[in-house]
Amino acid sequence: MIKITFPDNSVREYDAGITGYDIASQISHNLAKEVVAVTVNGEVWDLQRPITNDAAIKLHKFEDPEGKHTFWHSSAHLMAGALEALYPGIKFGIGPAIENGFYYDVDPGNGTVITEADLPDIEKKIIELARLNSPYVREEIGKEDVLAYFTKKGDEYKIELINELEDGTITLYKHGNFTDLCRGPHLPDTSPIKAVKLLSLAGAYWRGDEKRKQLTRIYGITFPKKQMLDEYLNMLEQAKARDHRKIGKELELFTFSQKVGQGLPLWLPKGAMLRERLESFLRKIQVKYDYLPVITPHIGQKELYMTSGHWEKYGKDSFKPIQTPAEGEEFLLKPMNCPHHCEIYKSKPRSYKDLPIRYSEFGTVYRYEQSGELHGLTRVRGFTQDDAHIFCRPDQLKDEFKKVIDIVFAVFRAFDFQEFTTQISLRDPENKEKYIGSDENWIKAEKAIIEATEEKGMKAFVVPGEAAFYGPKLDFMVKDALGRNWQLGTIQVEYNLPERFELEYIGSDDQRHRPVMIHRAPFGSLERFVAVLIEHTGGKFPLWLTPEQVVVLPISEKYHVYAEKVLNFLNNCDIRTLIDSRNEKIGKKIRDNELKRIPYLLIVGEKEENQGTVSVRRQGKGDKGSFRLEDFKDLLKDEMNRQMEGLDN
RNA sequence: GCCUCUUUAGCUCAGCUGGUUAGAGCGGCGGUUUCGUAAACCGCAGGUCGGGGGUUCAAAUCCCCUGAGAGGCUCCA
């Protein structure tokens, strides 16, 4: 007998060799029907793998992350089996479960191209195979035999993977006629896979290496119930409706022009007003934190970037330098503001008493991004950073870092970004030559970031190898409508530029010392921030920020005079108000202005004119009743004050 | 940059395997209506079908080159 411990710490005894499935069926018939995997001593196992020793277990249904993972991993195998049936000789790369579904990288071989039109047939085949209820059979086989199998099959990708595995036994999983190299775990059989949707096709380099062959990646998702698939597809639809590219167009915030160039956003009047408001919002905070504004030009001599190291690192992948006509002097469009700011620091001698110095600038920078990477406002070739560089003494570094974290948190609070993750990016200890700067400085900088986040009580993922080439960083990431992660705020420690620009201050000991730099951008860039804000709010911006706050809707032309009076009153109170004087019925005007996501609609007709009131509708919330003009103004001011509270602490 | 797909009016889209003057809804403009909480009615004007080249008696439709967009991959100071 062995002792099995359950998550609630209860212990039961079973015969050695019992399986997770047996345990589930002894608990209840329904559980046995729904369970898909079991964690044994912290490792996820197949349900039918015998448990031979005392163990702590947890049974997983589809709803658990481990359950989904197993379900989708098995689905990837099932799809591979379907592909092999439809495309004989097809070769397989890797096929893992992902956050939402799974994919498989395949090479159909001899010039065959799989297109979206083929996906329904593949889906059909998958369902057909699933209904055979084939068991997923685990086999442990010697490496030589496995190699022989895939060599015979001619699957060079699998052979490459196997060769990198340690000698000894290797696990294979088999269902129906399909056998795959796999660590597992898997479902007991294919029967729970009831609903399948292949979502998209994409090229993906073998092993993520752009120098190697590009395989066809097929993304899909499966569910144990058809209804769950419908709900998921419905969710995707709704996410699409929040896409900032769509809403940005609808609300006339920004546009792109083929003629101006790809990745170069054009801000329309309403978008520009929104941006200005964001800028003044941050300026206000920065005044409080003693930042000093600076302004620098859009270009700088190439030598500037040779000094900074950017030319060496990014020069060959950048926009080519521009030249003066006669002398051929070379200038670069600025890709970063920091070198300019360093020169401002250098414009006069500094004392330790001057530090920290905090220079801020909404600096527009230009970077060559590969055409396939451009994406709406989130990845562009020209954008404006809410940039600042803090020059401080080493002993001030951690405190300064913490103050910046406070600013980022204030920003996120003001915009109600509750779901964000933070990542500390350190250098790759295996590839130290990728970075510039001394070992000693890197160690100091990484320590400062880690300590500052700890002291702020933050839970940050530490990711080695993700640092910038000049220093470690702390990034704040937010998810977009489609679940993609975007970096917003960033805080980076920089020992390198002070070194390269030979920045100095005179210490209390009358000696020359080197300051430390912090590079920070709470929004990241205005472009990306607006994009994420649009998706976060669905275009329903906070009242203080939205381009148009109120629209007055006269019932008919007879009330235009009164509507003008309301308009003037509100505009005089600094409330951004419009009037919809079109010759349309009130229902139509309401509909159109609701769709434009204007927060307040004021209906004025005979009754309102006689009583000096307005009939108020809040966007998305319908009729709020009648208000005296004064009271309505107070209502708005209150709402805005509440929204701005986060800023004033 | 690479793979697959898309590109038709200001916007959203229809135009089957090539066949006469390229359609619809919304929007715009003109008129009628003067109206009470998410779409009044009538009429009109908008397109060298992303651009260039080719095949054909005939191209929005087929082929080639190219621009832009989408989803990924690689990259991201």
Side-chain angles (χ1 to χ4, degrees), chain A residues 393-594:
Chain A
R393 304 191 306 260
D395 63 289
Q396 295 169 320
L397 176 65
K398 205 205 292 176
D399 269 354
E400 283 303 308
F401 204 90
K402 283 156 75 178
K403 279 184 204 166
V404 177
I405 292 176
D406 288 338
I407 295 180
V408 175
F409 282 164
V411 167
F412 281 19
R413 240 191 342 263
F415 294 96
D416 196 32
F417 284 131
Q418 284 163 0
E419 283 184 49
F420 59 87
T421 53
T422 50
Q423 176 178 320
I424 298 176
S425 301
L426 306 179
R427 73 183 159 163
D428 181 355
E430 309 287 308
N431 285 302
K432 289 187 179 174
E433 71 285 353
K434 270 169 49 186
Y435 306 91
I436 50 184
S438 73
D439 225 32
E440 180 199 358
N441 281 344
W442 272 88
I443 291 164
K444 273 197 280 183
E446 294 186 343
K447 185 161 171 275
I449 291 192
I450 291 167
E451 284 181 6
T453 51
E454 274 170 6
E455 286 171 31
K456 280 282 158 196
M458 294 162 57
K459 276 183 263 163
F461 297 103
V462 177
V463 187
E466 286 288 304
F469 74 95
Y470 52 75
K473 55 183 183 173
L474 174 66
D475 289 328
F476 296 77
M477 340 264 278
V478 179
K479 272 193 173 128
D480 76 0
L482 297 173
R484 287 172 294 213
N485 266 311
W486 294 102
Q487 177 210 307
L488 284 183
T490 181
I491 317 176
Q492 313 180 351
V493 180
E494 163 99 62
Y495 282 96
N496 175 57
L497 283 181
E499 198 87 41
R500 286 177 162 258
F501 280 89
E502 300 177 323
L503 305 184
E504 292 176 339
Y505 65 89
I506 306 300
S508 57
D509 55 1
D510 201 28
Q511 299 295 307
R512 291 164 189 275
H513 296 272
R514 189 126 291 164
V516 185
M517 252 173 99
I518 297 174
H519 169 117
R520 49 107 273 186
F523 290 152
S525 81
L526 271 302
E527 284 75 8
R528 181 172 290 180
F529 191 79
V530 168
V532 174
L533 192 60
I534 289 171
E535 306 211 345
H536 185 65
T537 60
K540 295 171 189 170
F541 300 115
L543 186 61
W544 68 271
L545 182 65
T546 201
E548 290 152 348
Q549 298 172 309
V550 177
V551 57
V552 186
L553 312 179
I555 295 281
S556 78
E557 283 171 14
K558 287 190 216 154
Y559 312 106
H560 279 191
V561 176
Y562 179 61
E564 291 281 346
K565 211 176 124 191
V566 172
L567 176 80
N568 290 334
F569 173 82
L570 292 173
N571 278 331
N572 284 336
C573 299
D574 286 327
I575 292 167
R576 299 183 289 277
T577 311
L578 302 167
I579 188 159
D580 185 347
S581 55
R582 293 176 304 162
N583 180 7
E584 293 289 351
K585 292 177 83 170
I586 197 66
K588 169 77 164 166
K589 291 188 190 183
I590 289 170
R591 178 182 158 79
D592 288 350
N593 288 288
E594 285 271 349

Side-chain angles (χ1 to χ4, degrees), chain A residues 72 100-101 123 195-200 219-223 225-241 481-482:
Chain A
W72 286 332
N100 289 302
E123 286 170 5
V196 59
K197 179 76 188 172
L198 301 185
L199 298 159
S200 64
Y219 284 91
I221 193 162
T222 51
F223 291 95
K225 286 182 188 154
K226 172 82 167 61
Q227 189 197 342
M228 292 166 89
L229 174 62
D230 293 341
E231 281 167 14
Y232 178 75
L233 293 178
N234 186 21
M235 192 273 290
L236 280 187
E237 283 291 305
Q238 290 183 350
K240 256 196 214 155
L482 297 173

Side-chain angles (χ1 to χ4, degrees), chain A residues 162-424:
Chain A
I162 295 163
N163 278 324
E164 287 174 19
L165 293 174
E166 283 178 24
D167 292 344
T169 58
I170 287 173
T171 51
L172 295 179
Y173 276 83
K174 197 178 211 171
H175 74 272
N177 297 322
F178 181 77
T179 301
D180 202 352
L181 170 74
C182 185
R183 200 179 297 129
H186 280 284
L187 299 171
D189 62 67
T190 60
S191 65
I193 302 171
K194 302 278 196 219
V196 59
K197 179 76 188 172
L198 301 185
L199 298 159
S200 64
L201 280 172
Y205 299 110
W206 171 233
R207 320 225 59 186
D209 183 345
E210 64 179 320
K211 292 188 186 67
R212 305 197 63 179
K213 188 166 167 116
Q214 194 158 49
L215 305 181
T216 304
R217 176 170 298 179
I218 306 175
Y219 284 91
I221 193 162
T222 51
F223 291 95
K225 286 182 188 154
K226 172 82 167 61
Q227 189 197 342
M228 292 166 89
L229 174 62
D230 293 341
E231 281 167 14
Y232 178 75
L233 293 178
N234 186 21
M235 192 273 290
L236 280 187
E237 283 291 305
Q238 290 183 350
K240 256 196 214 155
R242 287 217 316 271
D243 193 309
H244 77 275
R245 293 165 296 186
K246 179 175 145 70
I247 292 177
K249 191 186 266 181
E250 280 170 13
L251 297 185
E252 299 181 347
L253 299 175
F254 59 87
T255 189
F256 289 89
S257 147
Q258 263 196 45
K259 208 155 207 166
V260 171
Q262 55 176 172
L264 300 171
L266 303 174
W267 289 85
L268 302 171
K270 288 178 193 174
M273 287 189 274
L274 187 114
R275 246 183 82 151
E276 279 177 1
R277 221 156 277 127
L278 286 173
E279 288 180 15
S280 53
F281 161 85
L282 195 56
R283 279 202 182 96
K284 216 168 121 188
I285 298 183
Q286 288 177 169
V287 165
K288 209 156 36 192
Y289 280 86
D290 297 318
Y291 283 65
L292 304 167
V294 294
I295 296 173
T296 65
H298 286 228
I299 63 173
Q301 289 205 81
K302 187 172 138 189
E303 279 71 18
L304 180 66
Y305 303 100
M306 289 169 74
T307 301
S308 72
H310 291 108
W311 174 253
E312 185 195 346
K313 185 78 185 172
Y314 293 101
K316 59 182 180 310
D317 303 319
S318 298
F319 285 119
K320 292 261 181 285
I322 52 177
Q323 299 186 343
T324 54
E327 306 83 350
E329 292 170 303
E330 293 188 301
F331 291 79
L332 293 187
L333 281 168
K334 78 172 166 188
M336 294 278 280
N337 302 300
C338 18
H340 294 73
H341 290 189
C342 285
E343 285 301 300
I344 292 177
Y345 179 90
K346 273 188 92 166
S347 63
K348 69 174 197 183
R350 307 290 177 176
S351 146
Y352 72 98
K353 296 175 193 165
D354 299 332
L355 301 183
I357 293 173
R358 309 177 186 89
Y359 290 141
S360 65
E361 173 176 22
F362 288 95
T364 304
V365 297
Y366 300 89
R367 297 176 185 175
Y368 171 75
E369 303 282 0
Q370 301 185 104
S371 61
E373 259 318 317
L374 300 170
H375 180 92
L377 283 185
T378 52
R379 193 82 184 264
V380 290
R381 286 179 171 168
F383 58 96
T384 302
Q385 296 178 313
D386 54 326
D387 210 358
H389 295 96
I390 299 167
F391 301 86
C392 65
R393 304 191 306 260
D395 63 289
Q396 295 169 320
L397 176 65
K398 205 205 292 176
D399 269 354
E400 283 303 308
F401 204 90
K402 283 156 75 178
K403 279 184 204 166
V404 177
I405 292 176
D406 288 338
I407 295 180
V408 175
F409 282 164
V411 167
F412 281 19
R413 240 191 342 263
F415 294 96
D416 196 32
F417 284 131
Q418 284 163 0
E419 283 184 49
F420 59 87
T421 53
T422 50
Q423 176 178 320
I424 298 176

Side-chain angles (χ1 to χ4, degrees), chain A residues 6-293:
Chain A
F6 289 86
D8 63 356
N9 282 325
S10 64
V11 178
R12 296 198 208 178
E13 294 208 337
Y14 295 95
D15 291 329
I18 192 161
T19 67
Y21 182 81
D22 295 335
I23 294 173
S25 5
Q26 287 182 27
I27 294 170
S28 93
H29 180 61
N30 282 338
L31 179 60
K33 266 188 359 198
E34 288 190 52
V35 72
V36 296
V38 57
T39 293
V40 178
N41 294 331
E43 196 179 318
V44 188
W45 279 24
D46 299 318
L47 278 179
Q48 57 279 71
R49 185 162 163 192
I51 302 170
T52 50
N53 294 306
D54 290 357
I57 71 156
K58 185 173 189 311
L59 294 162
H60 300 295
K61 298 201 239 177
F62 176 79
E63 284 69 26
D64 296 348
E66 295 88 344
K68 285 197 170 80
H69 193 272
T70 304
F71 194 90
W72 286 332
H73 192 178
S74 295
S75 301
H77 278 231
L78 184 62
M79 178 171 77
L83 288 167
E84 196 164 58
L86 293 170
Y87 302 88
I90 190 169
K91 295 170 194 171
F92 295 93
I94 56 165
I98 53 176
E99 200 177 341
N100 289 302
F102 57 89
Y103 67 78
Y104 220 118
D105 286 346
V106 299
D107 177 0
N110 45 33
T112 309
V113 176
I114 299 176
T115 71
E116 265 160 50
D118 301 319
L119 297 183
D121 289 337
I122 302 172
E123 286 170 5
K124 228 178 278 168
K125 193 74 185 175
I126 292 172
I127 292 296
E128 190 186 314
L129 293 180
R131 288 190 181 146
L132 297 177
N133 299 354
S134 319
Y136 286 93
V137 182
R138 178 188 165 93
E139 289 177 8
E140 293 190 10
I141 294 177
K143 184 170 174 177
E144 293 309 313
D145 295 336
V146 176
L147 266 179
Y149 172 80
F150 284 103
T151 305
K152 188 169 163 220
K153 202 179 159 197
D155 209 329
E156 69 249 33
Y157 305 104
K158 292 293 180 191
I159 292 167
E160 182 175 332
L161 292 174
I162 295 163
N163 278 324
E164 287 174 19
L165 293 174
E166 283 178 24
D167 292 344
T169 58
I170 287 173
T171 51
L172 295 179
Y173 276 83
K174 197 178 211 171
H175 74 272
N177 297 322
F178 181 77
T179 301
D180 202 352
L181 170 74
C182 185
R183 200 179 297 129
H186 280 284
L187 299 171
D189 62 67
T190 60
S191 65
I193 302 171
K194 302 278 196 219
V196 59
K197 179 76 188 172
L198 301 185
L199 298 159
S200 64
L201 280 172
Y205 299 110
W206 171 233
R207 320 225 59 186
D209 183 345
E210 64 179 320
K211 292 188 186 67
R212 305 197 63 179
K213 188 166 167 116
Q214 194 158 49
L215 305 181
T216 304
R217 176 170 298 179
I218 306 175
Y219 284 91
I221 193 162
T222 51
F223 291 95
K225 286 182 188 154
K226 172 82 167 61
Q227 189 197 342
M228 292 166 89
L229 174 62
D230 293 341
E231 281 167 14
Y232 178 75
L233 293 178
N234 186 21
M235 192 273 290
L236 280 187
E237 283 291 305
Q238 290 183 350
K240 256 196 214 155
R242 287 217 316 271
D243 193 309
H244 77 275
R245 293 165 296 186
K246 179 175 145 70
I247 292 177
K249 191 186 266 181
E250 280 170 13
L251 297 185
E252 299 181 347
L253 299 175
F254 59 87
T255 189
F256 289 89
S257 147
Q258 263 196 45
K259 208 155 207 166
V260 171
Q262 55 176 172
L264 300 171
L266 303 174
W267 289 85
L268 302 171
K270 288 178 193 174
M273 287 189 274
L274 187 114
R275 246 183 82 151
E276 279 177 1
R277 221 156 277 127
L278 286 173
E279 288 180 15
S280 53
F281 161 85
L282 195 56
R283 279 202 182 96
K284 216 168 121 188
I285 298 183
Q286 288 177 169
V287 165
K288 209 156 36 192
Y289 280 86
D290 297 318
Y291 283 65
L292 304 167

